[in-house]
Amino acid sequence: VYDENGKRIEIMNEHDARPRVGVAMRVGTMFARSYQAQDWWQTTYVTEILEDTPTMVKFKTRNSTYVWKCT
C-alpha cells in the first residue's frame, strides 16, 4: 500500500479502535456479503475530529464526513 505521495507504507490493523486523525477507518460490516466480495470500505485518512463523546465520534476525511458510534 502506498500513501498519497507514492511512498510505500505498512498497514496495521486495530480492532475496536476509535477514529483519530491520521488513520483510515474501515466502515460497514465485515460479515455481511451484500456486494460481490465485501460490504465495507476503507476511508481516506481522518483529517479532523468534529465531535467526540464517550459513545460517538464525528470525523472528516479528505472527501467525506462520518459518524462512528460505539454500542
Side-chain angles (χ1 to χ4, degrees):
V1 174
Y2 298 89
D3 69 10
E4 290 136 355
N5 299 316
K7 181 180 176 184
R8 185 167 171 76
I9 57 173
E10 180 181 337
I11 293 187
M12 296 172 29
N13 291 317
E14 196 177 326
H15 294 282
D16 298 323
R18 292 177 70 84
R20 60 188 185 275
V21 172
V23 302
M25 300 293 294
R26 287 189 176 166
V27 295
T29 177
M30 302 293 278
F31 307 108
R33 297 289 186 223
S34 61
Y35 295 112
Q36 287 181 352
Q38 67 190 34
D39 195 23
W40 59 269
W41 63 95
Q42 186 165 302
T43 69
T44 55
Y45 294 115
V46 175
T47 58
E48 183 180 358
I49 302 297
L50 301 172
E51 188 177 346
D52 192 348
T53 71
T55 59
M56 183 272 301
V57 178
K58 185 175 183 179
F59 64 95
K60 285 183 73 169
T61 64
R62 186 171 48 186
N63 52 7
S64 299
T65 300
Y66 295 92
V67 175
W68 175 90
K69 293 183 180 179
C70 178
T71 57

